[in-house]
Amino acid sequence: MKIGLCSDHRGFYLKSELVKFLKDKGYEVKDFGTDSDESVDFPDFAFKLGDAIVNGDVAMGIAICGTGIGMSIALNKVRGVVCGKISNASEAMLCRAHNNANCIAMSEDISYDNAKEMVMKFINTPFSNMPKYVRRNKKISDRENG
C-alpha cells in the first residue's frame, strides 16, 4: 500500500518521523512536502496530497500542521477526499470504520508514540460497510457531487 504524507512547517518534524516509521514497516511512502521548518502555506501541500489520493497515486493520506484543522479543511475541499481531523487512536479507527476516510489530519503537538498508534489504527481499520454508515456517507457524497 502506498501512503502519502504532507505537512506545513510546523508539522515537518513529526511528518519526517512518520515517513521513516512507515518505510520501516514496509509501506511505500510518498512525501508531498514541505521539506523544512521554514514557513509555508499549508493548502499548497494539502492540495498535492488530496490530488494524489483522488488520482489513485496513493491509497491513503496523512497530513500534519499546527493543529490539524487547517489541513483537514483544505483536504476536504478536494472532491473525493474524506479527511478526518483526529486526536487519538479511537478517532483514527472510527473515521475509517464509520466514515470511510481516506485521509487523516493531526496536530504536530501529538507525541510521536501516539502519532504512530493513530496512523496504524487508521491504516489497519477497514470500513465497516454497515448499511447505516453506507447510507450516511452517501448523503454526504451526494451533497458534495450534487
Side-chain angles (χ1 to χ4, degrees):
M1 174 189 309
K2 191 171 190 178
I3 301 169
L5 288 91
C6 76
S7 72
D8 68 357
H9 52 283
R10 288 191 55 204
F12 168 71
Y13 293 108
L14 180 56
K15 181 202 63 168
S16 298
E17 291 298 317
L18 289 174
V19 166
K20 287 188 277 188
F21 169 73
L22 288 168
K23 285 182 178 179
D24 288 346
K25 289 279 189 188
Y27 291 98
E28 188 177 351
V29 175
K30 173 71 175 158
D31 185 343
F32 290 94
T34 191
D35 299 324
S36 77
D37 62 0
E38 291 191 30
S39 184
V40 295
D41 295 334
F42 68 86
D44 297 336
F45 301 94
F47 295 148
K48 288 179 188 179
L49 175 58
D51 289 342
I53 292 168
V54 172
N55 294 333
D57 298 331
V58 297
M60 296 178 150
I62 300 163
I64 306 162
C65 66
T67 63
I69 297 168
M71 283 289 190
S72 177
I73 291 169
L75 281 154
N76 280 307
K77 298 298 182 185
V78 179
R79 188 173 298 195
V81 172
V82 178
C83 181
K85 192 284 188 194
I86 63 169
S87 302
N88 57 57
S90 177
E91 291 174 357
M93 184 270 301
L94 290 171
C95 78
R96 284 286 305 137
H98 293 186
N99 305 107
N100 202 18
N102 52 17
C103 190
I104 53 174
M106 67 178 77
S107 167
E108 59 89 22
D109 290 331
I110 300 290
S111 75
Y112 176 55
D113 287 337
N114 285 340
K116 290 189 305 186
E117 182 183 10
M118 291 161 49
V119 164
M120 294 311 297
K121 279 284 189 193
F122 173 67
I123 291 170
N124 292 314
T125 300
F127 178 54
S128 70
N129 222 15
M130 289 178 63
K132 67 181 178 181
Y133 299 126
V134 170
R135 182 181 68 248
R136 292 169 186 169
N137 292 329
K138 184 178 181 321
K139 287 181 178 188
I140 294 168
S141 64
D142 286 351
R143 174 64 185 229
E144 179 182 45
N145 297 319

